Amino acid sequence: MCKASGGESKNMDTFDYDIAVIGRGPVGLTMAMSAAQLGMCTVVIEKHRDLYGLPRAGHVDHEIMRLFQKFGIVDDVLADCYPTTEYVWVNAHGETLLEFDWGEKSVSGYNSDYMQFQPVFENALGRELTAAPTNTDLLGWQLVSFEEIGGGVRCTIARTETVPGSHVPVVTDETRTFTARFLVACDGANSSVRQTLGIERHDFGFNEKWLVIDARKKRDLDFEFDCGQICDPRRPTTVLPLGKRHRRWEWAVLLGEDPESLLTDEAAWRLLGALGMGPDDLDIVRQLVYTFEARHATEWRRGPIFLAGDAAHTTPPFMGQGMCSGMRDAVNLAWKMDLVRRGIAKDTILDSYEPERSPHTEDWTRISLEAGKVPCTMDTDEAEARDQKFRDGWLPPMPDFPQLRHGIIALDETGKPRHLAGTLSLQRQVEVGGKVVLADEVFGTGFTLLGVGCNPAERLSDAQRALLERIGAKVLSVGDHAGATVRDADDAYADWFETHGICAVLVRPDFYIYGAARVPGDIGGLVDDIASKLCLTSSVEATAA
């Protein structure tokens, strides 16, 4: 057992682990891997003995691909995923209602959006996590109770066993007890941790049942309508690729229809047959009825216990952001917990988790709800009126795409984010040692103070340099000038910095920009500003003074 050590918030002599992660789905894997890469001692509790092995989420965006790069699995994912160029919504007559441009190059260095087969990245991420020396996987165990103790959590888990005829394991009498500094509940929409804590959820009023069928292609297939929504009031339908080898179809369950009646082979091939698919084309690998819902927990933190992913928020699938949002939760938490664990930041830094992540996920939920109103129209007269509005040039009101608005970012005097603060940082190709690579391979994924055309280190005081060193920040420069860390391989950094009128950015470990300096004289102020936001312990505050 890896023993936790250090940390300002530790009241016990020691904890068995820094973090106990409940649930080994995508969010739990991301939480544990993010923590393990930081050297934190983690234990993952999963009631099943193996990964689920079937797809759930199909979409990942560029930010998540950048995260896969950080974890060392991006090549595994790219080998099977499908870079999506468009996401189209048509009506019952095939007329285009909405078209989302999913083919552009993103700020993260990848295409904006991809469709993927979830077991591919889960298996790759599970492989990397199992190899991490500070991580322990306890598969076939279930959390049965927990309590706060000595600034941490005492957990009791029970071994599970599979019962014939049931896909849900049951607990046995064999139990273990351990302690952890933090507990992160990544145990899904029906989170037992959230329910035990009595945390309520706000219901946005969207609860729709859809049949989902995932299938493996038996042969190469061409699809005239490849990726999008068929907004047919007779039965709204979703058509999606899942990587290169699989496909997904979803159909709305009609009013008064028995969902169980859609779970037969006959129902599956009737619906697929209407779209031109038959048993010679596909092997069905999953067929079930989902309830799409939109709910947000009213609390995301209770002392040393945190909710992440579906345990904290559920989002309709129409923008493909449910799983992505949960993985962002995990990355946001990990670097803050690491600062606490190393005694650099006070425990109060973790109070920034919910204010940063909850508005972000709520934005995506509202975007998804607005988008979902279009295909979920099942009244023919309403659908025709909707179609005519689109023909007349109407577009549904869509919120701005999310970014951080609160928390550990640079704010102006009105409390709003300063220039670029809270947005994703740029990643492009750089040249170092005669080799061209994506920048994170050189810059790393901790705090980064990056200058273009200047060396930020020359603008820092000794105390500011010491502070950056203490939080593990790298100070780097891109360009051809003396002292440059790397060369700008295709002038992308020079162009981006010029476009935004800046000379340096301070980037957080989760790829979000803390703040930007417009002139070299502002660079030191960025460091002083972040020092005021990180809830630093007294020893660090003294260093920075």
Side-chain angles (χ1 to χ4, degrees), residues 193-474:
V193 174
R194 186 191 67 238
Q195 293 180 37
T196 299
L197 293 173
I199 294 175
E200 300 293 331
R201 290 190 295 170
H202 171 70
D203 190 340
F204 288 82
F206 186 93
N207 297 277
E208 303 285 340
K209 293 186 182 297
W210 284 60
L211 170 69
V212 178
I213 292 180
D214 295 324
R216 182 183 299 107
K217 296 188 292 183
K218 288 184 174 181
R219 59 185 181 86
D220 289 337
L221 300 170
D222 292 322
F223 297 91
E224 182 177 350
F225 187 76
D226 181 68
C227 182
Q229 303 282 342
I230 302 173
C231 306
D232 186 341
R234 293 169 296 184
R235 190 185 295 273
T237 304
T238 303
V239 180
L240 299 169
L242 291 182
K244 296 174 182 175
R245 298 170 293 164
H246 296 80
R247 300 286 307 185
R248 168 170 294 170
W249 289 267
E250 299 170 351
W251 294 268
V253 176
L254 303 179
L255 184 65
E257 187 172 34
D258 179 9
E260 292 294 321
S261 69
L262 298 174
L263 298 178
T264 64
D265 289 345
E266 179 185 2
W269 291 115
R270 181 180 72 250
L271 291 166
L272 287 167
L275 298 173
M277 296 291 104
D280 292 337
D281 303 309
L282 307 166
D283 281 326
I284 295 174
V285 299
R286 191 176 73 135
Q287 179 179 352
L288 77 165
V289 172
Y290 261 125
T291 299
F292 298 152
E293 61 175 31
R295 298 183 182 183
H296 271 53
T298 56
E299 292 179 71
W300 290 32
R301 179 187 188 187
R302 183 75 64 81
I305 302 165
F306 298 80
L307 306 181
D310 283 357
H313 50 83
T314 54
T315 301
F318 301 105
M319 295 303 293
Q321 283 295 326
M323 180 184 72
C324 296
S325 292
M327 295 172 79
R328 292 185 185 101
D329 294 345
V331 178
N332 184 292
L333 259 181
W335 67 266
K336 297 172 183 177
M337 287 180 169
D338 180 54
L339 290 180
V340 175
R341 190 258 311 192
R342 291 192 284 137
I344 295 170
K346 301 171 187 174
D347 179 85
T348 49
I349 191 176
L350 298 170
D351 291 337
S352 68
Y353 167 59
E354 182 178 344
E356 288 188 356
R357 292 297 309 135
S358 184
H360 199 264
T361 56
E362 185 171 331
D363 282 351
W364 272 122
T365 299
R366 293 190 184 281
I367 290 172
S368 298
L369 288 171
E370 288 296 323
K373 291 176 183 177
V374 178
C376 287
T377 300
M378 287 189 275
D379 180 279
T380 54
D381 292 335
E382 289 181 9
E384 177 54 36
R386 172 203 66 197
D387 295 351
Q388 188 58 51
K389 288 174 69 176
F390 276 106
R391 295 184 193 107
D392 293 339
W394 175 83
L395 291 174
M398 300 289 280
D400 292 335
F401 273 65
Q403 64 185 58
L404 298 182
R405 300 194 299 269
H406 309 283
I408 304 174
I409 56 173
L411 303 174
D412 64 20
E413 60 278 1
T414 68
K416 294 181 179 179
R418 291 183 191 168
H419 185 53
L420 292 180
T423 64
L424 283 170
S425 61
L426 180 71
Q427 180 181 217
R428 284 294 185 268
Q429 290 187 326
V430 295
E431 182 181 339
V432 58
K435 185 178 180 181
V436 176
V437 297
L438 282 170
D440 287 353
E441 302 299 319
V442 180
F443 297 169
T445 52
F447 287 99
T448 304
L449 177 58
L450 178 67
V452 171
C454 71
N455 184 354
E458 297 175 351
R459 300 289 176 165
L460 302 176
S461 67
D462 290 343
Q464 290 163 345
R465 292 190 191 95
L467 173 73
L468 292 176
E469 182 177 357
R470 184 82 167 111
I471 65 174
K474 289 186 175 181

Side-chain angles (χ1 to χ4, degrees), residues 65-122:
M65 292 299 288
R66 191 172 181 180
L67 184 59
F68 291 153
Q69 177 190 339
K70 173 183 178 180
F71 292 153
I73 66 167
V74 71
D75 290 341
D76 298 82
V77 180
L78 288 172
D80 185 70
C81 73
Y82 182 94
T84 306
T85 57
E86 59 185 8
Y87 181 42
V88 181
W89 299 25
V90 300
N91 64 12
H93 311 293
E95 296 176 273
T96 298
L97 302 179
L98 277 171
E99 188 169 357
F100 298 87
D101 183 5
W102 276 9
E104 64 183 6
K105 185 72 170 290
S106 74
V107 70
S108 302
Y110 295 92
N111 286 9
S112 63
D113 298 87
Y114 296 81
M115 299 304 298
Q116 50 79 41
F117 187 63
Q118 186 171 330
V120 170
F121 85 75
E122 284 188 325

Side-chain angles (χ1 to χ4, degrees), residues 21-77:
V21 179
I22 312 303
R24 201 173 185 265
V27 178
L29 286 166
T30 301
M31 185 72 233
M33 191 67 201
S34 297
Q37 285 192 324
L38 292 166
M40 302 180 77
C41 183
T42 58
V43 60
V44 183
I45 310 302
E46 171 54 57
K47 63 185 176 183
H48 296 281
R49 296 186 182 276
D50 299 296
L51 286 171
Y52 183 62
L54 293 174
R56 281 87 76 209
H59 167 262
V60 295
D61 61 25
H62 55 91
E63 185 180 351
I64 304 305
M65 292 299 288
R66 191 172 181 180
L67 184 59
F68 291 153
Q69 177 190 339
K70 173 183 178 180
F71 292 153
I73 66 167
V74 71
D75 290 341
D76 298 82
V77 180

